[in-house]
Amino acid sequence: RRLCEIFGQHPWDFIQAPNPGPHSATQWKTITDYPLRPRVLWAKWQDPDQLIGVRFNSQTRYGLLDIDAKSAYCNAEAIAQIRAALETIGIVRTLLIRSSHSGGLHLYIPLPEPVKTFDLAVALHECLTAQGFQFQNGQLEQFPNVKTYGNERIVHYNGHRLPLQPHTSSCLLDDDLNPISDRLADFLHQWQQAALQQDLNELLHALKIGRDNHRKRH
């Protein structure tokens, strides 16, 4: 139930792929035939033979930074610097996990209440780029992304894989990037603790500034 509450807010246009194991590339595809209802999400998350991912709705309770295994940011020092940068907009607690067999990292940002997804995307992008971090595919990516507005067709936020699926080597990491647990219960416990400790007033202020700056540039 808790997993579905966090990651099941946008049931349509989810992504899935066969679990390729440790030595092959993942072939994601978008599923548009049916929605990812909670019982389906839970069943697919538990299936060791497939991977499942979701997209963002108009509001979200979390953000995510994706760091590739070959990225210059895939080390403990860089993660500490990213975390310090996020503190300037009120994000004082994050969850670090190994995303898959590849050794890439996902830095989750749990929030205590829903915020506008686009505002969070802009705030994350401005916070990190202003402090010298460079977003680039295969190096550092953000979810939600700063997407374009579709006048003639719907433009979805990018999808991301779910954490800690069986047989994916995904696990919680400590500050030195050492594995500490692959249990969903531990992930959800840390998630709740992190969400409660965010400086929400500071973050809401940063969301407004980011949104206003984005509008002024356009």
Side-chain angles (χ1 to χ4, degrees), residues 1-33:
R1 180 183 61 82
R2 189 76 182 106
L3 181 77
C4 295
E5 286 177 353
I6 296 171
F7 297 110
Q9 295 303 304
H10 185 71
W12 293 99
D13 300 288
F14 63 94
I15 58 174
Q16 72 177 29
N19 188 349
H23 304 300
S24 301
T26 304
Q27 302 295 323
W28 292 102
K29 66 176 181 178
T30 298
I31 306 300
T32 60
D33 301 337

Side-chain angles (χ1 to χ4, degrees), residues 75-148:
N75 58 78
E77 181 180 0
I79 295 300
Q81 292 171 350
I82 291 173
R83 282 171 156 163
L86 293 174
E87 288 185 12
T88 64
I89 59 170
I91 298 169
V92 298
R93 291 292 183 272
T94 54
L95 270 66
L96 182 64
I97 74 165
R98 182 170 62 206
S99 61
S100 67
H101 297 290
S102 69
L105 305 176
H106 280 178
L107 190 66
Y108 278 95
I109 303 166
L111 302 177
E113 64 181 48
V115 300
K116 290 183 178 180
T117 302
F118 189 78
D119 290 357
L120 180 62
V122 171
L124 289 175
H125 192 273
E126 292 203 353
C127 167
L128 293 174
T129 54
Q131 298 181 73
F133 297 94
Q134 296 181 351
F135 287 99
Q136 182 180 348
N137 289 345
Q139 291 290 314
L140 176 64
E141 299 177 63
Q142 67 170 86
F143 300 84
N145 57 302
V146 184
K147 72 180 184 72
T148 58

Side-chain angles (χ1 to χ4, degrees), residues 35-57:
L36 191 65
R37 301 297 186 193
R39 63 179 179 81
V40 179
L41 187 156
W42 178 236
K44 289 181 178 293
W45 183 89
Q46 295 180 92
D47 187 347
D49 295 325
Q50 67 176 330
L51 307 177
I52 188 71
V54 295
R55 300 182 190 274
F56 289 85
N57 207 343

